[in-house]
Amino acid sequence: MPKFLPTPVNALMRDAVTGRVTRRDVVKRGTALGLGSAMMGTLLRAQSIGAQATPGASPVAEKPVGWSITIPEGLRTDLKGKKISVVLGADGPGAPFDQACCDAFSEATGIEVNYIKGAELTDDRLQFYQQTFSAESPDIDAAQIDVIWPGILAIHAVDLTDVYKSQGTTSFQRIVDNNTVDGVLVGIPWFTDAGILYYRTDLLEKYGFSAPPKTWQELTDQASKILEGEKGANSAFTGYTFQGKAYEGLTCNSLEWQYSYGGGTIVDENAKVTVNNDQVKAALELARSWVNGISPQAVTGYAEEDARTVWQGGNSAFMRNWPYAYSLGAADDSVIKGKFDVTQLPAGEGDNATSAACLGGWQMFVSKYSKEQDAAKEWAKFITSKELQKARAIERSNLPTIGDLYKDQDILAANPFFGQLFDTFESGSVARPSTPTADLYNEVSIAYFTAVNGILSGQKTDIGATLSDLEGQISDILKDL
Amino acid sequence: MSGFREPGGGNDARSRLLPLKGSFMGTSATDAATTEPANAQQARRSMAPSSGIGRQQERLGWLLVLPSVIVVLAVAIYPLLESFRLSFTNYRITRPDRMRYVGLENYRQLMQDDVFWTALKNTIIFTVSSVALETVLGMAVALVIHSQFRGRGFVRTSILVPWAIPTVVSSLLWQWMFNDRYGVINSILIRVGLQDKTDNFSWISSPTTAMGAVVAVDVWKTTPFMALLLLAGLQVIPSDVYEASYVDGASKWQQFWQITLPLLKPALLVALIFRTMDSFRVFDMIFVLKAYATETMTVAIYAQQQLIATGRVGYGSALAVVIFLCIAVMVIGYTRLIRVEEI
């Protein structure tokens, strides 16, 4: 649970959300602190939720979703009454928080926000965007876009450079660069993502391992030993879960394997294909040995949530996933609460071996077909602001794109691993080749994950031949660049 | 209106045996002009109106079908022609400005595309095995629910439940039943001793069993539909034929092969057309269970991938055209079979 700094505003906020003060006290103390009307509105809303949630004004009340949101300064209020439709996260554990963000924005600016829940699989969401925007439809004003899409969606984007500059904060430069296509900022960095390794501290201790694995081979050995010992008592137990389904998530996983073995980034910055070499082969040979070994055969059908379900049910020793699984695993109703930790992903072996985390993350995009571009820009400014990134980090364990926030005590209290993995998040992650492949990225990625899925599932038995076919396929695709 | 009366006389029995066809042709507006009972083809040949009233009626007829013609043109013919047109272009959804005609280039590429051939092979395996199983099972079910027994109405209704469940829902349902750790199928196999507790066999993820698993889901879902169509066919077979054969001393088995099956053939063929077309276009169920995995990729999934996921509209359209042609060939083949039956 996060601790608050004893600043007067935060103290007032805390009292408000826990229902320990009356409405009148909020106004009195707020006025004394010289708060603006937007902040005051938030406090009053927090108070009303807090008072409802805690009829007895108990000091240890459950916090309502969105309790940590503070409204950034300098939002326009002259757009009152406008309506915008925005596509945010999928329905699921994150949806109530996204809804709380919309409500807070509406309250502060008077702009009505229609929250459209995006598809759960990122591939499906891109298809929806492409169809909507190719038809030049004004139905979507702003949308959450993946880090690999700026090249694909650039032709539909409003340039957000000025909005980003007006925020007065700096996001990680590599993400800003990634989101800039021909000088146009296609999306404002909102939160970032990187693959990390989750491990069960209790099981590592039980089987005598003093530290989490440093290399993939070590992970294999530790997982085998733990699985051997645990499966007698729990037949559903498995050693390692990751995302092996034939979809974009597998491209992320497999890129981490091959890059950590020094096998390149699928396509390098000069658009040269790097999938058919000994390092990639070594990485995929090890990965294939996991299936039906430390990982179940079913892992070849797992997306993020499938892997997390097994992990959070206490049925896996290790998991590769994004940071979002941290706050869910640490929640009060989780059976693995207090029994796990995270670290960077293991390294490969051989020359250029390194630890690699696939860069993920989301940006806020504004459509050029929107009829309410000013309101949509205001929304983008709000949702990607430092204040909202902070709230999202505290409540959703999503990684901020603003470097300063990694020193924020409230955030570190909620996510102790943020500080420790800062280097990974800032610069240690490997980006998918969406820049050199531009609008052909998806085609390359589909060819890649289809081949890797075939190798993992056992459909393709000759790894060397599969990789040489894949190299040919990707080269053919890139002829259209 | 006398022009829309049922054709009388000799046509009656045939229209009972061919419920679908009979009802379409029975409403031919020219029946009023020709006094003798005519079958459908003759009626079409005698379209030429002989009097003012005839001409007026014909105009009215055209006016009445006009809305449907417009709707069909707008939602079926136009998109179809547009697919044909796009299949000769290099159109990509991300490059609307660089679109140009490339002739048969997409089709040439398609012929050399290994994924396409794998998908086509998978689709044929899926179609043949699922339709064969559904037909046999559907026939058995139809025969059972056609016979007289207590609670028949309840059984007839409940048998339709799998067909009534939306495909995506039933796919997810089966995904859980096939789950390697918690699924009911493995649980049963463990209980009867066919599997060990620690096997955790994944029916959907193992490439050798994946196709069998998706066929099983399809059979479960569409057998009721097959049974329903066949039941409709069974109900129009007159009972006196059976009585006569009973008097002649035919066994139940002989009755099935000599009477039921030949008289059921038209209904059976209609059911087969529906099911073959549907299976050939299968997308949703397999996509939910297997996404783009190679071992179960069908032509429809590949077309979706090319058209929508990668935005290669030109190439994807060529693929869609090929699927359309395959289905057209199948339908023509089936209708030939039906027509042979009619003569």
Side-chain angles (χ1 to χ4, degrees):
Chain A
M1 279 288 138
K3 285 195 194 79
F4 276 100
L5 290 176
T7 64
V9 181
N10 276 341
L12 178 53
M13 185 71 187
R14 184 190 53 209
D15 290 348
V17 295
T18 49
R20 280 189 287 191
V21 283
T22 64
R23 219 175 151 77
R24 231 164 101 199
D25 286 343
V26 172
V27 177
K28 217 157 69 187
R29 284 168 63 183
T31 320
L33 290 166
L35 296 177
S37 61
M39 187 63 216
M40 203 72 120
T42 312
L43 282 167
L44 286 172
R45 204 169 53 86
Q47 189 274 336
S48 70
I49 297 169
Q52 267 171 19
T54 53
S58 127
V60 283
E62 182 90 359
K63 293 191 178 73
V65 174
W67 60 270
S68 64
I69 297 174
T70 51
I71 306 289
E73 295 292 315
L75 288 174
R76 284 172 68 174
T77 46
D78 57 331
L79 296 164
K80 209 176 169 96
K82 302 275 188 207
K83 285 181 191 159
I84 54 170
S85 292
V86 299
V87 184
L88 304 174
D91 205 357
F97 181 77
D98 281 345
Q99 186 60 55
C101 292
C102 297
D103 295 344
F105 177 70
S106 297
E107 195 150 332
T109 61
I111 298 169
E112 208 176 297
V113 183
N114 172 23
Y115 165 21
I116 300 169
K117 296 181 175 82
E120 183 174 326
L121 289 186
T122 165
D123 316 55
D124 297 344
R125 207 181 301 190
L126 177 62
Q127 294 163 21
F128 169 65
Y129 289 162
Q130 281 193 311
Q131 285 174 339
T132 310
F133 297 135
S134 296
E136 308 191 356
S137 159
D139 294 347
I140 307 289
D141 299 288
Q144 179 185 14
I145 67 166
D146 202 331
V147 69
I148 49 178
W149 299 344
I152 299 173
L153 295 175
I155 55 171
H156 309 296
V158 166
D159 185 4
L160 295 172
T161 311
D162 294 341
V163 181
Y164 172 63
K165 285 197 177 136
S166 76
Q167 288 177 319
T169 47
T170 349
S171 282
F172 293 146
Q173 191 54 41
R174 55 179 312 197
I175 304 179
V176 176
D177 290 346
N178 175 78
N179 294 2
T180 308
V181 179
D182 298 332
V184 171
L185 185 66
V186 176
I188 304 181
W190 179 14
F191 58 95
T192 180
D193 248 341
I196 51 176
L197 183 73
Y198 290 76
Y199 62 96
R200 287 280 297 274
T201 46
D202 57 333
L203 292 175
L204 252 60
E205 197 180 329
K206 183 173 167 189
Y207 290 91
F209 299 112
S210 54
K214 289 264 174 297
T215 65
W216 290 110
Q217 190 55 53
E218 258 181 72
L219 176 129
T220 314
D221 299 340
Q222 292 190 3
S224 316
K225 191 168 168 200
I226 297 174
L227 176 60
E228 207 47 54
E230 291 294 307
K231 76 177 175 197
N234 175 4
S235 65
F237 195 83
T238 185
Y240 180 49
T241 57
F242 55 94
Q243 293 81 44
K245 186 177 177 144
Y247 83 123
E248 183 62 30
L250 177 56
T251 299
C252 295
N253 279 254
S254 183
L255 173 64
E256 285 161 355
W257 305 330
Q258 76 162 66
Y259 191 77
S260 72
Y261 271 81
T265 55
I266 307 173
V267 175
D268 71 12
E269 60 266 43
N270 303 317
K272 191 178 161 290
V273 187
T274 57
V275 291
N276 189 16
N277 56 51
D278 290 343
Q279 292 99 304
V280 178
K281 206 174 157 199
L284 289 178
E285 253 159 24
L286 183 66
R288 180 165 71 185
S289 78
W290 295 334
V291 178
N292 269 326
I294 58 168
S295 306
Q297 172 78 36
V299 82
T300 60
Y302 281 2
E304 283 88 353
E305 281 294 88
D306 304 299
R308 187 180 69 83
T309 318
V310 175
W311 158 257
Q312 205 166 317
N315 291 325
S316 183
F318 297 96
M319 172 177 72
R320 182 268 176 213
N321 214 324
W322 308 96
Y324 84 99
Y326 189 90
S327 60
L328 296 167
D332 287 334
D333 60 355
S334 160
V335 300
I336 53 164
K337 185 188 177 187
K339 294 180 184 167
F340 75 95
D341 204 347
V342 294
T343 184
Q344 61 178 0
L345 285 167
E349 270 150 48
D351 298 341
N352 300 322
T354 175
S355 164
C358 180
L359 176 71
W362 296 87
Q363 343 298 322
M364 188 45 67
F365 157 99
V366 173
S367 160
K368 72 175 182 190
Y369 315 110
S370 162
K371 295 214 167 79
E372 301 293 353
Q373 285 184 15
D374 285 344
K377 281 183 183 169
E378 212 54 24
W379 160 260
K381 182 179 173 181
F382 165 83
I383 195 72
T384 59
S385 66
K386 193 173 177 179
E387 288 80 357
L388 270 285
Q389 288 203 8
K390 174 174 172 175
R392 183 170 285 276
I394 292 173
E395 291 189 50
R396 305 291 322 145
S397 67
N398 287 145
L399 302 168
T401 59
I402 298 168
D404 299 348
L405 286 175
Y406 289 84
K407 296 181 201 102
D408 186 294
Q409 290 309 309
D410 296 341
I411 294 179
L412 290 177
N415 307 284
F417 67 100
F418 275 25
Q420 167 205 344
L421 294 179
F422 176 72
D423 291 343
T424 305
F425 301 145
E426 192 206 13
S427 54
S429 47
V430 49
R432 282 163 279 172
S434 59
T435 311
T437 56
D439 64 330
L440 301 176
Y441 171 74
N442 244 8
E443 234 168 290
V444 171
S445 178
I446 286 174
Y448 181 73
F449 70 60
T450 308
V452 176
N453 181 262
I455 291 171
L456 293 180
S457 73
Q459 162 104 24
K460 299 248 162 62
T461 43
D462 186 342
I463 298 184
T466 308
L467 290 178
S468 125
D469 282 355
L470 178 64
E471 185 181 34
Q473 268 181 51
I474 298 180
S475 307
D476 280 350
I477 294 169
L478 294 180
K479 278 182 195 152
D480 282 345
L481 259 181
Chain B
M1 210 189 209
S2 64
F4 287 89
R5 73 187 153 83
E6 284 291 307
N11 225 6
D12 233 344
R14 188 171 291 280
S15 73
R16 219 193 301 145
L17 284 178
L18 285 167
L20 284 168
K21 225 174 163 120
S23 62
F24 277 121
M25 297 310 181
T27 52
S28 160
T30 49
D31 274 5
T34 54
T35 42
E36 24 172 289
N39 76 20
Q41 268 154 0
Q42 280 170 333
R44 206 176 292 150
R45 252 180 263 125
S46 60
M47 278 294 249
S50 53
S51 66
I53 299 173
R55 223 173 289 134
Q56 214 180 338
Q57 283 207 338
E58 192 191 313
R59 224 176 297 134
L60 180 68
W62 275 111
L63 214 62
L64 289 173
V65 296
L66 196 64
S68 350
V69 171
I70 291 172
V71 169
V72 169
L73 279 176
V75 305
I77 309 292
Y78 168 73
L80 191 65
L81 293 178
E82 185 68 4
S83 292
F84 272 94
R85 187 181 72 83
L86 288 171
S87 75
F88 300 115
T89 70
N90 66 348
Y91 181 38
R92 253 176 218 283
I93 207 160
T94 48
R95 301 172 175 182
D97 48 332
R98 276 195 264 170
M99 176 170 144
R100 63 186 172 79
Y101 286 90
V102 293
L104 291 171
E105 174 60 22
N106 289 329
Y107 293 92
R108 193 189 60 77
Q109 266 186 43
L110 201 56
M111 290 304 113
Q112 294 167 353
D113 186 342
D114 289 342
V115 186
F116 167 69
W117 290 110
T118 313
L120 189 65
K121 192 186 82 190
N122 287 342
T123 313
I124 292 171
I125 294 175
F126 176 84
T127 306
V128 171
S129 46
S130 66
V131 173
L133 284 168
E134 281 154 29
T135 311
V136 174
L137 290 174
M139 177 76 85
V141 171
L143 289 170
V144 170
I145 59 179
H146 184 52
S147 57
Q148 299 285 344
F149 60 91
R150 270 170 64 95
R152 188 174 70 164
F154 175 75
V155 172
R156 279 188 184 178
T157 314
S158 56
I159 216 149
L160 275 175
V161 168
W163 179 248
I165 297 176
T167 311
V168 173
V169 177
S170 53
S171 309
L172 290 171
L173 214 117
W174 276 85
Q175 194 168 39
W176 273 110
M177 288 172 47
F178 276 128
N179 186 290
D180 55 339
R181 269 127 230 278
Y182 314 108
V184 66
I185 291 172
N186 279 354
S187 161
I188 291 169
L189 291 175
I190 290 166
R191 252 173 245 184
V192 300
L194 287 173
Q195 241 188 52
D196 191 65
K197 232 181 141 183
T198 51
D199 281 357
N200 289 321
F201 188 75
S202 178
W203 295 91
I204 298 179
S205 302
S206 310
T208 42
T209 54
M211 183 57 89
V214 296
V215 168
V217 180
D218 194 65
V219 169
W220 174 82
K221 183 175 167 55
T222 27
T223 298
F225 175 75
M226 204 66 164
L228 195 74
L229 284 181
L230 294 179
L231 178 66
L234 285 174
Q235 281 173 338
V236 296
I237 301 176
S239 57
D240 45 5
V241 197
Y242 289 100
E243 282 155 21
S245 68
Y246 179 72
V247 172
D248 290 343
S251 70
K252 285 275 172 205
W253 196 240
Q254 282 173 320
Q255 280 185 354
F256 176 76
W257 287 105
Q258 306 294 328
I259 301 172
T260 312
L261 208 55
L263 288 176
L264 198 59
K265 218 165 185 176
L268 189 63
L269 283 170
V270 169
L272 281 173
I273 292 183
F274 275 119
R275 283 307 310 142
T276 313
M277 278 164 60
D278 264 1
S279 313
F280 202 81
R281 295 180 306 205
V282 66
F283 173 78
D284 39 9
M285 183 263 292
I286 296 184
F287 191 72
V288 170
L289 292 176
K290 293 289 293 175
Y292 295 127
T294 329
E295 62 267 25
T296 50
M297 179 179 278
T298 63
V299 282
I301 293 178
Y302 191 45
Q304 187 271 356
Q305 186 188 72
Q306 293 302 317
L307 268 168
I308 306 197
T310 67
R312 286 178 79 191
V313 180
Y315 193 69
S317 298
L319 201 50
V321 167
V322 170
I323 300 176
F324 169 79
L325 294 177
C326 290
I327 291 178
V329 167
M330 276 190 269
V331 172
I332 292 168
Y334 274 128
T335 36
R336 277 275 158 82
L337 276 174
I338 293 187
R339 213 168 289 159
V340 167
E341 280 310 301
E342 264 183 88
I343 296 162

